[in-house]
């Protein structure tokens, strides 16, 4: 075995994806607003001043794209009346949006917002990113369910990004 194969890589680690960190923080902020009734300005100020890129209880939070974070959280709040029916009709029968876990609801709303309002981000990227966010909070079938719901929404809202021969 060569020496290079046995030593750790000397390349510095890739910087954290700031949009990915913004998405995770957006889901946390939406959760906080949904559960605790915090206002949009208060939550944005709290996350930007005390959480994003800061150390809390010995844990270092990643830097995030503040503008992207604000857009996702603000967009979900602003467009919630239009987004909720889109998510609700995509969920399995018997599972209304109001019945699912608060964190899962925040993930689906944020993903639906990006699919509807952030056409600068490819649909497949949005889906993959929110599946990763789901994996941060859930195990088992939940990330696959997030994938299925957001994929169905993406195919409905952005059909041009999917070829007709792909399985739906």
């Amino acid at each position: 075995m060569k020496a290079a194969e046995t030593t750790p890589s000397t390349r510095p680690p890739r910087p954290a994806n700031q949009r990915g960190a913004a998405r995770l923080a957006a889901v946390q902020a939406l959760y906080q607003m949904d559960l605790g009734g915090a206002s949009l300005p208060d939550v944005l100020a709290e996350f930007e001043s005390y959480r994003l890129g800061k150390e809390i209880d010995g844990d270092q939070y990643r830097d995030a794209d503040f503008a992207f974070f604000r857009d996702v959280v603000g967009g979900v709040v602003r467009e919630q009346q239009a987004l909720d029916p889109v998510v609700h009709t995509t969920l399995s029968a018997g599972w209304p949006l109001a019945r699912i876990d608060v964190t899962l609801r925040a993930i689906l709303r944020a993903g639906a917002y990006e699919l509807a309002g952030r056409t600068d981000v490819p649909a497949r990227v949005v889906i993959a990113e929110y599946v990763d966010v789901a994996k941060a909070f859930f195990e088992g079938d939940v990330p696959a369910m997030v994938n299925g719901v957001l994929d169905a929404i993406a195919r409905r809202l952005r059909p041009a990004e999917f070829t007709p021969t792909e399985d739906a």
Side-chain angles (χ1 to χ4, degrees), residues 102-116:
V102 176
T103 304
L104 181 55
R105 189 166 49 235
I107 292 168
L108 294 174
R109 282 175 172 159
Y113 167 73
E114 277 199 59
L115 290 168

Side-chain angles (χ1 to χ4, degrees), residues 70-89:
R70 283 178 162 270
D71 180 61
V72 172
V73 177
V76 169
V77 170
R78 185 179 60 252
E79 302 297 328
Q80 188 172 334
Q81 287 185 335
L83 295 172
D84 281 0
V86 171
V87 175
H88 175 77
T89 59

Side-chain angles (χ1 to χ4, degrees), residues 140-158:
D141 295 337
V142 174
M145 188 271 275
V146 167
N147 182 69
V149 170
L150 293 181
D151 182 73
I153 292 170
R155 288 173 187 277
R156 190 171 36 202
L157 296 179
R158 299 188 191 183

Side-chain angles (χ1 to χ4, degrees), residues 25-99:
V27 166
Q28 292 170 323
L30 292 167
Y31 170 90
Q32 187 170 323
M33 292 173 69
D34 198 0
L35 202 61
S39 72
L40 177 62
D42 289 347
V43 168
L44 293 176
E46 176 188 337
F47 273 76
E48 291 178 8
S49 297
Y50 303 109
R51 292 188 187 208
L52 301 177
K54 309 291 187 221
E55 184 177 325
I56 301 172
D57 298 329
D59 292 326
Q60 181 65 42
Y61 281 61
R62 292 181 177 171
D63 285 329
D65 180 331
F66 288 133
F68 195 80
F69 167 76
R70 283 178 162 270
D71 180 61
V72 172
V73 177
V76 169
V77 170
R78 185 179 60 252
E79 302 297 328
Q80 188 172 334
Q81 287 185 335
L83 295 172
D84 281 0
V86 171
V87 175
H88 175 77
T89 59
T90 309
L91 292 169
S92 297
W95 284 97
L97 186 60
R99 185 176 170 194

Side-chain angles (χ1 to χ4, degrees), residues 8-14:
S9 173
T10 56
R11 279 197 303 188
R14 255 182 56 199

